[in-house]
Amino acid sequence: MKNLKVLLLVAILGVASAVQARPNNSDYNTVINAFIESKLHTDYKTMKTILSPEAVEKLPREKAVYKATASDLLRTMKVNNGIEQSCTAEHKVLAESDGMIMVQIDFNYDQHTISEFITLERNKGLEWKVTSINKFFKNVATADKVNS
């Protein structure tokens, strides 16, 4: 009986710690912040909790568009887990409704900016999930010369 109580306590503590590590997906601001933090710290575990399994990431490459699935993105993040990005991040909500949000996130490095336009959708369980990521690169030095 004592072993059963100990086993039950361990199971409860395990579930409690797993719940604490997971962002609250019922609030889209929490999901946006979790997305940013997971990118800054290459944290695939957090990304996995907020990314829809059907999500697609798109990156323009010359005259084509490279597409990566959610599993591709998570696999890459897992290989690079824990790598800290040397940038700052800022975001703004571009459009929002009760079921979908469009957000621009700028990751500002010394010489370039990566702008990610993400779409969050509320699923049937009323959780917000990232369903698409569109990524654009801007070389800061080149942009300054063009704008001068």
Side-chain angles (χ1 to χ4, degrees), residues 68-87:
T69 64
S71 58
D72 294 334
L73 177 61
L74 291 171
R75 188 172 26 260
T76 300
M77 288 186 79
K78 187 173 184 178
V79 168
N80 297 301
N81 191 49
I83 294 176
E84 298 290 324
Q85 299 299 313
S86 57
C87 65

mmCIF file of all heavy atoms in Angstrom, residues 68-87:
data_model
loop_
_atom_site.group_PDB
_atom_site.id
_atom_site.type_symbol
_atom_site.label_atom_id
_atom_site.label_comp_id
_atom_site.label_asym_id
_atom_site.label_seq_id
_atom_site.Cartn_x
_atom_site.Cartn_y
_atom_site.Cartn_z
ATOM 1 N N ALA A 68 8.769 24.234 -45.366
ATOM 2 C CA ALA A 68 9.111 23.241 -44.357
ATOM 3 C C ALA A 68 7.861 22.903 -43.552
ATOM 4 O O ALA A 68 7.066 23.788 -43.222
ATOM 5 C CB ALA A 68 10.201 23.777 -43.430
ATOM 6 N N THR A 69 7.696 21.642 -43.252
ATOM 7 C CA THR A 69 6.560 21.200 -42.443
ATOM 8 C C THR A 69 6.871 21.443 -40.962
ATOM 9 O O THR A 69 8.010 21.733 -40.588
ATOM 10 C CB THR A 69 6.277 19.708 -42.651
ATOM 11 O OG1 THR A 69 7.409 18.962 -42.167
ATOM 12 C CG2 THR A 69 6.022 19.383 -44.116
ATOM 13 N N ALA A 70 5.856 21.283 -40.138
ATOM 14 C CA ALA A 70 6.047 21.416 -38.689
ATOM 15 C C ALA A 70 7.083 20.408 -38.198
ATOM 16 O O ALA A 70 7.955 20.751 -37.393
ATOM 17 C CB ALA A 70 4.718 21.212 -37.964
ATOM 18 N N SER A 71 7.021 19.187 -38.686
ATOM 19 C CA SER A 71 7.998 18.179 -38.242
ATOM 20 C C SER A 71 9.407 18.525 -38.702
ATOM 21 O O SER A 71 10.375 18.292 -37.970
ATOM 22 C CB SER A 71 7.589 16.772 -38.683
ATOM 23 O OG SER A 71 7.457 16.697 -40.074
ATOM 24 N N ASP A 72 9.560 19.124 -39.902
ATOM 25 C CA ASP A 72 10.877 19.581 -40.363
ATOM 26 C C ASP A 72 11.430 20.653 -39.425
ATOM 27 O O ASP A 72 12.591 20.607 -39.016
ATOM 28 C CB ASP A 72 10.802 20.191 -41.772
ATOM 29 C CG ASP A 72 10.439 19.187 -42.856
ATOM 30 O OD1 ASP A 72 10.709 17.987 -42.680
ATOM 31 O OD2 ASP A 72 9.880 19.634 -43.883
ATOM 32 N N LEU A 73 10.587 21.621 -39.096
ATOM 33 C CA LEU A 73 10.992 22.712 -38.218
ATOM 34 C C LEU A 73 11.390 22.187 -36.838
ATOM 35 O O LEU A 73 12.438 22.558 -36.295
ATOM 36 C CB LEU A 73 9.861 23.734 -38.098
ATOM 37 C CG LEU A 73 10.080 24.918 -37.162
ATOM 38 C CD1 LEU A 73 11.269 25.759 -37.606
ATOM 39 C CD2 LEU A 73 8.831 25.770 -37.088
ATOM 40 N N LEU A 74 10.564 21.316 -36.274
ATOM 41 C CA LEU A 74 10.863 20.760 -34.945
ATOM 42 C C LEU A 74 12.121 19.905 -34.951
ATOM 43 O O LEU A 74 12.917 19.957 -34.014
ATOM 44 C CB LEU A 74 9.667 19.955 -34.429
ATOM 45 C CG LEU A 74 8.439 20.786 -34.082
ATOM 46 C CD1 LEU A 74 7.241 19.876 -33.797
ATOM 47 C CD2 LEU A 74 8.718 21.711 -32.909
ATOM 48 N N ARG A 75 12.331 19.152 -36.016
ATOM 49 C CA ARG A 75 13.529 18.317 -36.127
ATOM 50 C C ARG A 75 14.787 19.193 -36.140
ATOM 51 O O ARG A 75 15.760 18.921 -35.439
ATOM 52 C CB ARG A 75 13.446 17.444 -37.380
ATOM 53 C CG ARG A 75 14.530 16.422 -37.504
ATOM 54 C CD ARG A 75 14.345 15.426 -38.664
ATOM 55 N NE ARG A 75 13.561 15.865 -39.805
ATOM 56 C CZ ARG A 75 12.274 15.544 -40.028
ATOM 57 N NH1 ARG A 75 11.631 14.765 -39.176
ATOM 58 N NH2 ARG A 75 11.634 15.977 -41.092
ATOM 59 N N THR A 76 14.759 20.279 -36.898
ATOM 60 C CA THR A 76 15.894 21.200 -36.956
ATOM 61 C C THR A 76 16.121 21.859 -35.594
ATOM 62 O O THR A 76 17.257 21.980 -35.136
ATOM 63 C CB THR A 76 15.663 22.279 -38.031
ATOM 64 O OG1 THR A 76 15.506 21.628 -39.291
ATOM 65 C CG2 THR A 76 16.817 23.249 -38.106
ATOM 66 N N MET A 77 15.040 22.265 -34.957
ATOM 67 C CA MET A 77 15.178 22.891 -33.640
ATOM 68 C C MET A 77 15.724 21.907 -32.615
ATOM 69 O O MET A 77 16.517 22.278 -31.748
ATOM 70 C CB MET A 77 13.843 23.470 -33.170
ATOM 71 C CG MET A 77 13.431 24.709 -33.925
ATOM 72 S SD MET A 77 11.944 25.482 -33.245
ATOM 73 C CE MET A 77 12.652 26.340 -31.832
ATOM 74 N N LYS A 78 15.309 20.651 -32.703
ATOM 75 C CA LYS A 78 15.786 19.650 -31.746
ATOM 76 C C LYS A 78 17.290 19.429 -31.896
ATOM 77 O O LYS A 78 18.012 19.333 -30.911
ATOM 78 C CB LYS A 78 15.036 18.330 -31.942
ATOM 79 C CG LYS A 78 15.344 17.302 -30.889
ATOM 80 C CD LYS A 78 14.454 16.086 -31.033
ATOM 81 C CE LYS A 78 14.713 15.098 -29.918
ATOM 82 N NZ LYS A 78 13.824 13.937 -30.004
ATOM 83 N N VAL A 79 17.774 19.384 -33.131
ATOM 84 C CA VAL A 79 19.212 19.205 -33.388
ATOM 85 C C VAL A 79 19.998 20.390 -32.822
ATOM 86 O O VAL A 79 21.097 20.219 -32.301
ATOM 87 C CB VAL A 79 19.475 19.056 -34.909
ATOM 88 C CG1 VAL A 79 20.950 19.171 -35.233
ATOM 89 C CG2 VAL A 79 18.927 17.732 -35.409
ATOM 90 N N ASN A 80 19.428 21.594 -32.903
ATOM 91 C CA ASN A 80 20.106 22.814 -32.448
ATOM 92 C C ASN A 80 19.617 23.285 -31.078
ATOM 93 O O ASN A 80 19.849 24.435 -30.698
ATOM 94 C CB ASN A 80 19.901 23.928 -33.476
ATOM 95 C CG ASN A 80 20.525 23.585 -34.798
ATOM 96 O OD1 ASN A 80 21.719 23.347 -34.887
ATOM 97 N ND2 ASN A 80 19.705 23.519 -35.839
ATOM 98 N N ASN A 81 18.953 22.415 -30.334
ATOM 99 C CA ASN A 81 18.327 22.775 -29.068
ATOM 100 C C ASN A 81 19.286 23.527 -28.137
ATOM 101 O O ASN A 81 20.421 23.123 -27.945
ATOM 102 C CB ASN A 81 17.812 21.520 -28.362
ATOM 103 C CG ASN A 81 16.926 21.860 -27.194
ATOM 104 O OD1 ASN A 81 16.017 22.666 -27.314
ATOM 105 N ND2 ASN A 81 17.194 21.249 -26.056
ATOM 106 N N GLY A 82 18.794 24.643 -27.592
ATOM 107 C CA GLY A 82 19.555 25.395 -26.604
ATOM 108 C C GLY A 82 20.480 26.454 -27.158
ATOM 109 O O GLY A 82 21.083 27.208 -26.399
ATOM 110 N N ILE A 83 20.615 26.552 -28.476
ATOM 111 C CA ILE A 83 21.474 27.588 -29.055
ATOM 112 C C ILE A 83 20.783 28.940 -28.870
ATOM 113 O O ILE A 83 19.635 29.115 -29.256
ATOM 114 C CB ILE A 83 21.767 27.324 -30.548
ATOM 115 C CG1 ILE A 83 22.614 26.052 -30.692
ATOM 116 C CG2 ILE A 83 22.463 28.527 -31.181
ATOM 117 C CD1 ILE A 83 22.891 25.650 -32.118
ATOM 118 N N GLU A 84 21.502 29.865 -28.253
ATOM 119 C CA GLU A 84 20.971 31.205 -27.990
ATOM 120 C C GLU A 84 21.187 32.095 -29.213
ATOM 121 O O GLU A 84 22.283 32.127 -29.770
ATOM 122 C CB GLU A 84 21.668 31.826 -26.780
ATOM 123 C CG GLU A 84 21.455 31.059 -25.492
ATOM 124 C CD GLU A 84 20.036 31.137 -24.956
ATOM 125 O OE1 GLU A 84 19.412 32.206 -25.093
ATOM 126 O OE2 GLU A 84 19.543 30.128 -24.429
ATOM 127 N N GLN A 85 20.150 32.798 -29.606
ATOM 128 C CA GLN A 85 20.243 33.740 -30.720
ATOM 129 C C GLN A 85 20.701 35.091 -30.184
ATOM 130 O O GLN A 85 20.199 35.550 -29.155
ATOM 131 C CB GLN A 85 18.888 33.876 -31.410
ATOM 132 C CG GLN A 85 18.361 32.583 -31.993
ATOM 133 C CD GLN A 85 19.274 32.026 -33.059
ATOM 134 O OE1 GLN A 85 19.721 32.741 -33.949
ATOM 135 N NE2 GLN A 85 19.578 30.749 -32.964
ATOM 136 N N SER A 86 21.633 35.720 -30.863
ATOM 137 C CA SER A 86 22.142 37.025 -30.426
ATOM 138 C C SER A 86 21.364 38.127 -31.129
ATOM 139 O O SER A 86 21.853 38.794 -32.041
ATOM 140 C CB SER A 86 23.638 37.138 -30.707
ATOM 141 O OG SER A 86 23.891 36.939 -32.080
ATOM 142 N N CYS A 87 20.123 38.285 -30.714
ATOM 143 C CA CYS A 87 19.254 39.286 -31.324
ATOM 144 C C CYS A 87 18.223 39.743 -30.303
ATOM 145 O O CYS A 87 18.108 39.176 -29.217
ATOM 146 C CB CYS A 87 18.559 38.705 -32.552
ATOM 147 S SG CYS A 87 17.412 37.370 -32.188
#
